[in-house]
Structures are given as structure tokens and as C-alpha cells.
Amino acid sequence: MQRAKVLFERSLSALTPFLAVLLALAVGAIMLFALKVDPITAYGALIEGAFGSPFALAQVLVKATPLLLVGLGICIAFRGGVINIGGEGQIIVGALATAAFTLALPQAPAIVLLVGGMLCGMLAGGIWGGIAGALKARFGVNEILTTIMMNAIAAQLANFLLRGPMIDPIEVKNGTMLAQSARLPELSWLPKLVPQTLLHAGAIVAVIMAVVVYILLWRTVLGYRIRAVGLNAEAARFAGIRVPVYQALALLLSGVMAGLAGSVEVLGVSHRMMDGVSGGYGFSGIVAALFGKLHPLGAIPASALFGSLLVGADKMQRAVQVPSALIDALNGLVVLFVVSSDILVRRRAQRRKAAERKS
Amino acid sequence: MTLLPTGRARIDELRMVGITKRFPGVLANDGVDFDVRAGEIHALLGENGAGKSTLMRQLYGLYKPDAGEIRLNGAARRFNSPSDAIHAGIGMIHQHFMLVPALTVAENVALGLASSRGPLLDLDRVSKRIEELGERYHLKVQPDAQVWQLSVGEQQRVEILKALYRGAALLALDEPTAVLTPQEVGEFFKVLRRMAEDGHALIFISHKLHEVIDISHRVTVMRDGKVVATHPTAGSTRERLAGEMVGRPILLEYDKPPVPAAAANEVPRLEVEDLHVRGDRGRDALRGVSLSIRSGEILGIAGVSGNGQRELAEALTGLRRVTRGRVRVNGRDLTHATPQQRIAAGQSAIPEERMKDGVVRDFSVSENLILQDHGHAPYSRAGFLNTRAITRDCAALVKDYSVKTPALETPTKNLSGGNIQKLILARELARKPTLLICAQPTRGVDIGASEYIHQRLLEQRQRGMATLLISEDLDELMALSDRIAVMYEGRLMAVLDRADATPAKLGLLMAGVAA
Ligand SMILES: Nc1ncnc2c1ncn2[C@@H]1O[C@H](COP(=O)(O)OP(=O)(O)O)[C@@H](O)[C@H]1O
Ligand SMILES: [Mg+2]
């Protein structure tokens, strides 16, 4: 009896993200109904769109790549007991730095461009996250506020650079003045994994990083301290661990991962820096991380799943001709349901523990 | 039929016979016989998990016994719910109070009772009755005060008033003193004695030996769900009771060689001069504390909690800023040192709140054992943790300090309080500290584990470690300390040699009365 109950609770907690997605889709079905669209057709298009062809699958993985990278950063932040809402800004500055680096060295060999480009992106993202971290450590400023504000600053910075110093000379010549950089040198493009598709080597980079983050969190002194600080700041302080320093480092590393997502996007997908490069990954990466139970390896399947949802919904929108706002709403619903189900599960666990302690 | 002054019939005898209660995996009560008579205070003594609460819950109708019988004045009775028990004149004070904070005392007392005047509560009458009862049993509370405004001690009085108001002739008190200060315990015992004199039957649950000896007429000792002994309290010693509780002989007084005379040029391990520290509310919590501890010496700090002991420990571990004064460890000025600097200087600490400051609940046993030392060899090299060295040394520590855990990977929160404290002790003492700041080392810990912890502290004293021992447990202070200082309102009232420190003297000093 007792054991069955424990088992039930466990599997419930593992399944909740999936149940939450199903629930979100059910609510979405009601909205589709209201728009006089047959939900079965629509969701059929969604599944078809995500898994129906090798191209679709490749597309899913392309989307999953930045999700995974941002999600890994979110894992680090959450484990350190801090919250990073600044993924968007960190992606943007990462992408900017990568583009600037490769455009500045058009003649360099591929390895220099790729490695240097990604390092620049990580550095820029790290600085962006690190600023929020330093403000928290030094002045106790809430990191949720600062990371959000840093998003706005990054967006404005991109705006300025892409319309000014970094604008594509061709845009100036043609007079179209689109806010985008020149195309990056072809040598700096991440190689394709499957010809004729968009799938690029960034996916491999992301999976390697998942393993790296796993090792960082569980096999290094730095990761140990980040986890100690996140789980019990008081005990960590008592044991002589400088809590603010490790909270700041968690935010910094979180920014590094998001910055790398920006690099991978410009090097692998857009091949130039332009508006909208962050594509909302800064936020949906949080969901991917929660989906993966804040475990770096769990984030791998989680981001693939969430990526398929993004791709499928996009196809669905075109197939059944619903307003694109509906897709945003659907994604929003998924985020809402996944996050709140996570909170629900935690509360339940807490209450159960409290009840056990009392008896 | 004899009536109590409250107007209720007395319960001349309650007898529980062969009570057996099984929970999944645990035999919580195993053929328990227990009885209590009118006018008697019968103590129920046992370690955590011995089955005391379970026995009382069956008496109160919260659980149904698997086997056995409850007889009230000779007649078998069956209580299916607390209201059955209340009707029979049984009251129970739980360790966690069951009061509604937003209601007044009178409203709480009247809660759940049918009013004598139809649907409307007659609170005036309730208030009057509360005052009468309060007068008789020294249970002073304002009937119109709201419960959230009351101290813990006052809330407990309300619980007792509630039971008396409902006509309890027998009262079971489950660890009632756990939440009280020593002063409040004294007051509380007056209440119990008065109720017993009036003919109430009282069951007093505790695991504190001196309280049981102080207050009870008879004592029943439980261990692992069984009754191991029932006898009159008079003439039984703390050693005997402790031995019955644990099932093996227990030492409560330790032989310890005296501290060797000071060498001419000896530097004290800890020197504190005129220490001032602010409390959480901004007022001075320490107002000029000076003390010094030598190698191989244990200085005990006695005092009612809230007189600056916590702040003293925090200041000495680098968690609270010193506003004035000086702290030297082994001659080095560490007044404003960080926790890590103090650890590096050879200082260890056992925090008062072990779950908050002592361990990371969700960390494994081995992760908690390396909480300070993970940053250097052999536990890490070049920033990477050395799992093999960690496992090897942690396994040895767990064995050395008899930490009972299924595995090194077990989350620490799954361990019992005593074992968590042993884990902290292992971590802090393994470093061979020269100075230990130790707060409430055995609070909430089983007697067996307490004895073990004490032995380990004395062993380190032999080795030359200096110990600042902050404790609210006078027995512990007297058993371990070489000198005892008494703290009152942020100052040391006096520092007594152990030989001069009698409980009476300490009690006066703790109340702020200078000797
Ligand atoms: N409701 C319950 N469900 C399962 N086990 C319980 C329950 N209540 C108590 N136990 C177990 O029964 C044993 C006795 O507990 P308890 O009566 O609370 O001990 P005590 O009050 O003497 O500390 C313990 O092992 C405890 O874990
Ligand atoms: Mg109990």
C-alpha cells in the first residue's frame, strides 16, 4: 500500500510536465474550437509538422539546440538558488560578439573563427549575466529585475549597432537599411550535419555542453559550492563558503551558456546578426530546463520535446490558417502549465514532508 | 462519586491493558500496560520513537488499538473519536498547540462546544469561568487577549484551561515542557501539582530525566514500543532511568582529569574582551562580554535563551558583526574575521540550529562531511572533486563516529536528529580543532547519542581543545564544564568554578540575581 503510493507519487512527479503539456493542448483545443477549427486536424498538422519528415525532424533539432544551451544555463542558475530571466539579452550580446569577431577576421582559418567566435559569445553572455550577478553580490539587487533590465539594454545595443557601426554595407548601398550585419565569412559557418537540411554542428556542441555542465555541477569544487549555496545558503556561509560570490558565478555561467546559444544561432542558422536572433529562446529555455527537472542531462530530451512543439505549432498555424497570435498563446499556455505544475509538485512534496514530520 | 473542584466526576483509575498498535513496518506499541490514578502524576518516559505519543493517541480516540483494552474506573471503554474521550473526562495537550491565532482566549476555549444558550456564544460566562479556573490553578491569562499575541508559555496555559473548561478529570500532556524556558517550566510544574492535589489524574510525557524526577509520583519507562519498567519515582536516580530508557548502563557524570596548571607563557586559546554585538532588532545583544578559555578547558555558558548566547556564538563564528571589543584566537586577532578565516585558524563550530546552519538537508552524507574541506587536497585537485578520497575518508568518519546511515549517498535529511548531530561532530572534530564553539550540542538528541557526543567532546578536551559550550541544559553544563559562566541580558553575571556551581546558584544568576 505505502510503497505503491510512493511509486505513484514519483511517477506522477516525472510525468507532470507531460501532463501539463497535454492540459495546455486541451485548453488550446478549446481556443481552436472557438476559432471554428477542428482541433484534431490542427493537432494532426502539429504532429505531422514536427515529425512528418526528415526535414521536420532536423528543424526540431535546430530549434532544440539553443533551447538546450539556454536551459543548461538555467539549470546552473536554479541550482545556485538564483533566477536568470536574462537569457534573451545574453543571447543577443553573445550573437553580436560572435558576429563582430568573425567579421573582423574574414581571412582567418575556420577553426579560429569557430572557436574564437563561440568564445566571444560566451564571454559576452558571461559579462551580461555577471553584471547582474555582481550587482546582486555587491549591493543585493534582485537578479530578476536586473536580468530583465539587461534584456532591454541588450536589445537597444543591438538596435544601435545593427543600424550603425555593424550594418551590412549592402543594405546601405541599396538604401533598404534593414537592421542586420553583413554575412559572416563562409568559413565561420558551423558545418551541416545532414546535407539539404538546416541541421548543423551546433547540436553536437550543445550536447557536449550538457555533459560539461553535468561534470561542472557534480564533479568540481565550483559546482559543489554553487549547489551548496543554492540548497542552503546559511549552512554554506557557516562552512566558510562565500555565498554572494557563488550566486554571482552561477548567474555568470548561466549567461555564458545563453551567450553560446547566441553564437550558435548566428554561426549555424542565420549566418549573420539580425533582429530577432534570440527568438524567445531566453524564455522558452527556462521551460526546457524545468521540463528536464533542472538536470543538465534531462534538459537534452526536454529541449528536443519542446523544440518539436515549437516547430509543430508553427506548421500547424500555416496548415490550418489560424492567427499566429494563437500559436503564441499556445506556447504561453505550455509555459504556464509546466511552470505551475512544477510549483504544484514541489508544494505537494513539501506538505507531505511537513505532515510526516508532525506525526 | 467524588467531584473535582471543577464540578466533574473524578477518574479514580484509568488502566490501559495489553495495548498493541502496529504501523506499516513498526510495532509502535507492543502489549503496553499503563495506569494512572486520581491525584497522581504519572510520568511516561522514553526516547523519541519509543511509542509514547502513540499510546496517548489511542487513549484520546485518535487511533484505534489493534489489541488491548482501556478501562475507566474499572469499566472497559472504547473511544472512537476525541469527542468520546472528552465526554469521558479525558483531556490531552498536544506538543503542537491546536489554537486559532486570530481568536481570543475565551473564543478558543469555547470553540466547538455547544453553548448553553442556543446558537449564541455566551462569551461573558466563558470569560468568567476562565478567570475562576485561572485563579485556582495559577493559569493567568486575559480571556479577551488574542492568541497570536501570547507567548508560547501562555498559549500552553490556554490549552490547559481549554481542557479543564471541558471538564477533563484526566489530562495527558505530551512533551509539554519542550517549548518552555526553564523559568516557565517551574511555573508550569506548580500548575500540575495543584491539579494533582485537587484529584486530577495526570500523565506527563517527557524525555528529560530531571523533570520526571522533579514532578512525577510514578514513572513508566518505554523502549521500542514496550514498557520496560514501572516504579515509584522516589528513590530512582537519573542514571537508573537513563539506563532503562536506553537499555544499557549510561554515564551521566563523567570522570575527567583537572585542567593542568597554566604554563607561565601560555596563550589562551580564546580571549574575548569587552565584546559588543547588535541583536536582530538593532539593540545591543551583547554588552561587554569578556572571557578566556585555556587549552584543554571547557567553559560552559548557562542562561535562559535569548540573553545573548546565540549572538555570542554568531559573533565568534563570523556570522555577526562585532561593534566593539576584541576576539583573539591562539593570540591572533580574529575580531572581524570571516568564517573561512576562522576555520583556517583552527576553529570549529557546532551550530545551534543544525538543520539550518549545520547541514545542507538535500546533500548526501558525504557531501555534508566535506562542507568545509572540499576545497583542498585530498578532496579536490585542480578544482575537481576527488570522489575516491572523499568516499574513503567519509566512510571512515561515518564508522568512527557511529553515524547510522544506510549509505554515504543517502540524503542527510533522512537521518535522525542524533545522527545528523554526530555527522556534524565528525566533520568538525576530524579537523582536530584547537577551539570549538559549540551551541546546544545535544538539544533534541537521544540520551544514547548525547552520551556519545559528550564522550567525544571530552576526548578532544584531553587532546587540548578549548571548548566554549553554550547550553540550556544545566545537567549537560555541569557534567562537562570546568567553569560555568552565566549570561543575563547580554552580560556575564559571573564565572563560577564547576565545584562552586550548584543548580540553585546558577538558577539565581540566570534570573539576573547577583550572588
Ligand atoms: N501515524 C503513523 N504512521 C506510521 N508510523 C508511525 C505513526 N505514528 C508513529 N509512528 C511510528 O511509531 C513509532 C512510535 O512513535 P511515537 O509514538 O510518536 O513515539 P514517541 O512519542 O515516543 O516519540 C515510531 O517509530 C514512529 O515512527
Ligand atoms: Mg512523541
Side-chain angles (χ1 to χ4, degrees), chain A residues 2 215 218-222 224-225 227-229 231-232 234-242 353 357-359, chain B residues 96 317 319 339-340 343 349 351 355-357 359-363 367 370-372 374-375 380 383-385 413:
Chain A
Q2 201 80 354
I215 292 171
W218 276 280
R219 294 279 180 270
T220 70
V221 171
L222 176 60
Y224 173 92
R225 291 188 179 163
R227 286 186 300 120
V229 164
L231 286 170
N232 185 349
E234 268 112 1
R237 190 160 86 106
F238 199 86
I241 297 172
R242 282 168 300 168
K353 252 175 238 148
R357 230 170 294 140
K358 236 181 250 157
S359 64
Chain B
H96 305 274
T317 45
L319 299 181
Q340 57 269 36
I343 292 168
M355 294 316 279
K356 180 167 151 276
D357 294 322
V359 291
V360 178
R361 293 168 45 87
D362 294 287
F363 264 11
E367 279 175 320
I370 58 167
L371 205 52
Q372 284 109 356
H374 60 270
S380 64
F384 282 86
L385 296 172
K413 61 184 172 192

Side-chain angles (χ1 to χ4, degrees), chain B residues 35 37 40-43 45 212-213 215-221 229-238 240-241 244:
Chain B
D35 71 287
R37 304 166 203 138
E40 181 190 43
I41 303 178
H42 191 155
L45 179 68
V212 167
I213 290 181
I215 189 73
S216 68
H217 303 117
R218 263 197 309 162
V219 54
T220 289
V221 183
T230 299
H231 46 74
T233 311
S236 56
T237 60
R238 285 170 49 230
R240 172 172 173 200
L241 294 177
E244 287 169 346

